[in-house]
Amino acid sequence: MFRALKHRNFLLFWSGAFLSNAGTWMQAVAQGWLVLKLSNSPFWLGVDGFMATAPGLVLTLAGGVFADLVDRRKLLIYSQIVAGLSALTLGVLVATGVVHVWMILGLSFVTGCCMTIAGPSYLAFVFDLVGREDLANAIALNSTQFQLARVLGPVGAGIGFKIFGLAGCFFANGLSFVAVVTSLALVRYDRPRNSNMVSDRSIDDKKAFWRDLVQGFRYVGHRPRVSMLLLISAVTNLFGAPYLSMTPVFARDVFHLGETGLALLMGTAGAGALFGALFVAYLGDFHHKGYFVLGGDFAFAVCLICFSLSTNLTVSLVFLFALGFAIVGSVAITNTLLQKLVIDEMRGRVLSMFMLSFIGAMPFGNLIAGTASHRFGVQHTLAVGGVIIAVFITVLALRSPSLREL
């Protein structure tokens, strides 16, 4: 269940990423509450989510090309340093009492640029560290650390609210980036990096850049199963991911809770996601992954509908837990399938399209959900999104036997 951790480099990367992600989730809770407190509007929560994910619309594919051209480790180090400085800046603004919503939006955009450029390298880097044999387990364990951070981050935020205030959460996140930068600096390759050895091309060669980008699209276009997996991810995130941005509204207006209540809601979804990732790690390299992807997405949609319409806190927490369990299992298996279906030379570009399928969809999803929630209410908006996902997955499952048989 934990065999990928026997690789020294992966263990270093896994540990540093966990600490950094815990800080990121800590800031996510604090930032959502801060935006709602300053604006008193779910619309601005949607805009903040849009600003954090909008860079993915233009930079994700570029990040995929970079992942196949440059040293992934160095790219990750530089991007994490800038993201850490952005978090520290927001902490200073909050501590000095001069913060405004537009400042938060600007820093969200900067952090989004960093994560977008580094994202494909982050995904492909796992293959560099463990190889093909332990890839499925490493992806599941990488998802596990992210989801464990998703549980502990909100808990830390709830404690931080009481002890250090909002500013302390941002400072803690800024310092957490030291962990991932240090772990990346300690990584030492003991074998050739098959997918990252492209010495005859330069990132400054614009023709090579565009040629590689077009080749990536052609490669995916001729592989229907890869295309369908990317489409599932895009639709699910367009109509489902906004629940993260809208959680502060549920905490305050539906359940009448404070900051610690928000931490409870986000932590519960994170706990479900953690158990989902551990379940995938336990299953290993099992058969019928296609059914698992489709079933996980459909279960996510049903749980999203039920959570959105519930006004009972206990019932809502149950559906939040199940929602996190279902979607993380589906995403982890999708990641594994994509990495096994593609050749090494295309790994970075295909994974950048995988990132674009949710990072590209999320800004529009957040913006649409924020606008619709302002008019129709956040509960009805998210419920309709769940219905759309459920119908889409049902149609695709019935009409795509090749996807079911993966």
Side-chain angles (χ1 to χ4, degrees), residues 306-362:
C306 295
F307 165 73
S308 301
L309 299 179
S310 170
T311 55
N312 181 281
L313 178 60
T314 302
V315 172
S316 295
L317 290 175
V318 171
F319 282 116
L320 266 180
F321 183 92
L323 176 154
F325 186 101
I327 192 59
V328 165
S330 178
V331 170
I333 297 302
T334 300
N335 188 351
T336 301
L337 286 173
L338 287 173
Q339 298 222 36
K340 289 197 169 188
L341 287 171
V342 304
I343 59 176
D344 293 343
E345 291 75 14
M346 289 290 176
R347 191 175 310 281
R349 277 161 281 182
V350 173
L351 290 177
S352 73
M353 295 178 201
F354 177 49
M355 282 197 63
L356 184 62
S357 69
F358 54 90
I359 289 182
M362 283 176 68

Side-chain angles (χ1 to χ4, degrees), residues 168-251:
C169 295
F170 300 119
F171 285 128
N173 182 37
L175 294 175
S176 73
F177 282 95
V178 175
V180 70
V181 170
T182 301
S183 67
L184 287 168
L186 292 174
V187 165
R188 295 291 181 269
Y189 291 106
D190 54 4
R191 62 182 182 81
R193 288 168 287 161
N194 298 329
S195 63
N196 202 26
M197 297 180 67
V198 195
S199 58
D200 60 332
R201 293 178 295 167
S202 168
I203 197 172
D204 296 324
D205 186 346
K206 295 181 179 180
K207 291 184 178 180
F209 176 88
W210 290 110
R211 184 171 62 249
D212 286 354
L213 192 58
V214 172
Q215 285 176 351
F217 278 114
R218 288 176 178 171
Y219 181 82
V220 170
H222 288 88
R223 283 155 183 80
R225 294 183 299 180
V226 173
S227 301
M228 283 189 287
L229 287 172
L230 296 177
L231 182 61
I232 289 172
S233 179
V235 172
T236 302
N237 283 280
L238 178 64
F239 297 105
Y243 89 89
L244 287 169
S245 297
M246 296 296 118
T247 303
V249 181
F250 281 88

Side-chain angles (χ1 to χ4, degrees), residues 57-80:
L57 297 173
V58 293
L59 296 179
T60 300
L61 295 177
V65 176
F66 295 158
D68 290 330
L69 281 177
V70 304
D71 188 325
R72 293 169 184 158
R73 184 175 67 97
K74 291 182 179 179
L75 179 61
L76 288 170
I77 288 175
Y78 296 143
S79 63
Q80 299 307 295

Side-chain angles (χ1 to χ4, degrees), residues 1-6 14 137 141 144 278 281:
M1 188 172 179
F2 301 101
R3 64 184 179 275
L5 294 177
K6 70 183 180 181
W14 189 93
N137 183 251
L141 289 178
T144 298
L278 286 171

